[in-house]
Amino acid sequence: MVMLRAAVKSLLKVRVMDFITSTAILPLLFGCLGIFGLFRLLQWIRMKAYLRKAVVVITGATSGLGKECAKVFYAAGAKLVLCGRNGEALEELTRELTTSATKVQTHKPHTVTFDLADPGATVAAAAEILQCFGHVDILVNNAGISYRGAIMDTTLDVDKRVMETNYFGPVALTKALLPSMIRRRQGHVVAISSVQGKISVPFRSAYAASKHATQAFFDCLRAEMEQYEIEVTVISPGYIHTNLSLNAVTADGSRYGVMDKTTAQGRSPVEVAQDVLAAVGKKKKDVILADLLPSLAIYLRTLAPGLFFSLMASRARKERKAKNS
């Protein structure tokens, strides 16, 4: 009986190999591979053409993910307008970019210094941005601030500060630049959100709220701008190894000043910037750039909310115990 099974298995293997290597199947397989390869090549060429000489505005360009995005968009041949609060840091980044070796024709970046948390400064900055190259092709809303604290300890001023920087600032800048995009029927708005714009983590209330608002606003914007052929991309990274947690505000508005373990173990901003470039170049609508566990948590929140809430409550108890110990 054992010998019979082995003989049948061997015969099946031979038949399968004969089927695969038959004159009918091999050309089909190679044809499919060829079509797929051609599709990827055309996609790559289209992405390169889309980014080359495009006027790209990047907020929060002086450090972290914003700085790395500036580098990859510059290397792709984009015309950059770098924005941030620190004018000296922007000039230093400009010098770094213009002295770097690239494979394509590059353009000297412009810089615009302003604070996103100041609505008046944001409107004035939008006019200055438009004067740089006459229009904007791609707006990357990257600037942001993080937060650490318990809800009951947090002043309303801190909640407002986080919302001003992470939500109202990008919204104001986007609204100020949209009319010029609509007139040209061309433009691309990018919002760097967060996984915490899709799920909420304890002791991050102000940050999670600002990112949930960001996700909702730009989802609405995508639908409303479709008639004008304006693209909208929301990118939600997980933890990135930057100074975001170090510069986070606490419940009383002071600087957190601690590199969280999750942040220290996060993805390199260089890698994430490459993913942002690819997502923009491919005109993707909604992108999650996170490891397996955060990605699963997003689906768990939808498919098994009770379990998700229990896990978050457990996490809150552990963090509270660690803080009090």
Side-chain angles (χ1 to χ4, degrees), residues 67-90:
K67 185 174 183 178
E68 297 305 325
C69 282
K71 291 178 181 178
V72 295
F73 277 95
Y74 180 78
K79 299 176 180 178
L80 297 183
V81 181
L82 305 174
C83 305
R85 292 180 298 173
N86 189 328
E88 290 184 6
L90 289 173

Side-chain angles (χ1 to χ4, degrees), residues 39-56:
F39 172 76
R40 293 298 297 270
L41 177 62
L42 290 174
Q43 192 178 49
W44 181 81
I45 292 172
R46 184 181 177 186
M47 183 181 79
K48 292 292 183 182
Y50 179 63
L51 296 170
R52 190 171 293 134
K53 295 185 180 180
V55 177
V56 180

Side-chain angles (χ1 to χ4, degrees), residues 57-63 66-67 70 80-98 108-115 128-129 142-143:
V57 178
I58 302 175
T59 65
T62 56
S63 63
K67 185 174 183 178
L80 297 183
V81 181
L82 305 174
C83 305
R85 292 180 298 173
N86 189 328
E88 290 184 6
L90 289 173
E91 291 300 331
E92 183 180 338
L93 175 58
T94 299
R95 287 192 294 271
E96 183 181 344
L97 292 175
T98 52
K108 184 179 179 181
H110 288 251
T111 62
V112 178
T113 306
F114 70 102
D115 186 353
E128 188 177 345
I129 286 168
N142 166 76

Side-chain angles (χ1 to χ4, degrees), residues 187-253:
H188 193 156
V189 179
V190 182
I192 304 297
S193 183
S194 167
V195 165
Q196 292 187 53
K198 295 180 179 292
I199 57 173
S200 298
V201 177
F203 305 110
R204 310 286 190 277
S205 58
Y207 182 75
S210 69
K211 292 303 183 180
H212 272 71
T214 296
Q215 179 79 50
F217 176 85
F218 286 98
D219 279 351
C220 291
L221 182 69
R222 183 187 302 110
E224 294 181 25
M225 289 298 106
E226 187 270 341
Q227 64 175 318
Y228 302 114
E229 300 176 50
I230 294 170
E231 302 288 338
V232 177
T233 300
V234 178
I235 299 176
S236 302
Y239 292 109
I240 309 173
H241 191 166
T242 66
N243 291 331
L244 189 67
S245 71
L246 283 170
N247 297 323
V249 293
T250 61
D252 63 2

Side-chain angles (χ1 to χ4, degrees), residues 260-318:
D260 288 337
K261 183 180 178 181
T262 49
T263 303
Q265 295 175 346
R267 291 186 65 194
S268 161
V270 177
E271 293 177 4
V272 178
Q274 290 287 352
D275 289 339
V276 170
L277 181 78
V280 174
K282 294 174 184 177
K283 301 181 182 179
K284 290 189 175 181
K285 313 242 179 242
D286 195 80
V287 182
I288 298 171
L289 301 177
D291 294 331
L292 180 62
L293 283 178
S295 299
L296 287 175
I298 294 170
Y299 293 104
L300 188 65
R301 170 67 177 81
T302 302
L303 300 174
L307 177 58
F308 174 82
F309 297 146
S310 295
L311 290 172
M312 290 302 104
S314 174
R315 174 170 174 162
R317 287 193 296 271
K318 288 178 182 177

Side-chain angles (χ1 to χ4, degrees), residues 106-227:
T106 55
H107 313 270
K108 184 179 179 181
H110 288 251
T111 62
V112 178
T113 306
F114 70 102
D115 186 353
L116 266 178
D118 182 345
T122 300
V123 173
E128 188 177 345
I129 286 168
L130 287 171
Q131 288 176 359
C132 293
F133 293 103
H135 68 277
V136 172
D137 292 306
I138 302 170
L139 167 62
V140 181
N141 287 300
N142 166 76
I145 188 172
S146 193
Y147 154 88
R148 301 288 187 275
I151 291 172
M152 292 304 295
D153 300 331
T154 304
T155 65
L156 192 59
D157 285 341
V158 170
D159 290 309
K160 289 179 178 179
R161 178 180 170 187
V162 175
M163 287 296 291
E164 283 288 355
T165 302
N166 291 359
Y167 175 69
F168 287 112
V171 166
L173 183 60
T174 299
K175 286 187 173 185
L177 294 175
L178 270 178
S180 66
M181 291 183 176
I182 291 173
R183 282 194 297 271
R184 298 174 64 235
R185 297 188 70 84
Q186 183 179 335
H188 193 156
V189 179
V190 182
I192 304 297
S193 183
S194 167
V195 165
Q196 292 187 53
K198 295 180 179 292
I199 57 173
S200 298
V201 177
F203 305 110
R204 310 286 190 277
S205 58
Y207 182 75
S210 69
K211 292 303 183 180
H212 272 71
T214 296
Q215 179 79 50
F217 176 85
F218 286 98
D219 279 351
C220 291
L221 182 69
R222 183 187 302 110
E224 294 181 25
M225 289 298 106
E226 187 270 341
Q227 64 175 318

Side-chain angles (χ1 to χ4, degrees), residues 17-34:
M17 289 304 296
D18 285 346
F19 179 72
I20 291 174
T21 56
S22 68
T23 54
I25 296 301
L26 273 179
L28 181 61
L29 287 174
F30 284 122
C32 289
L33 287 172

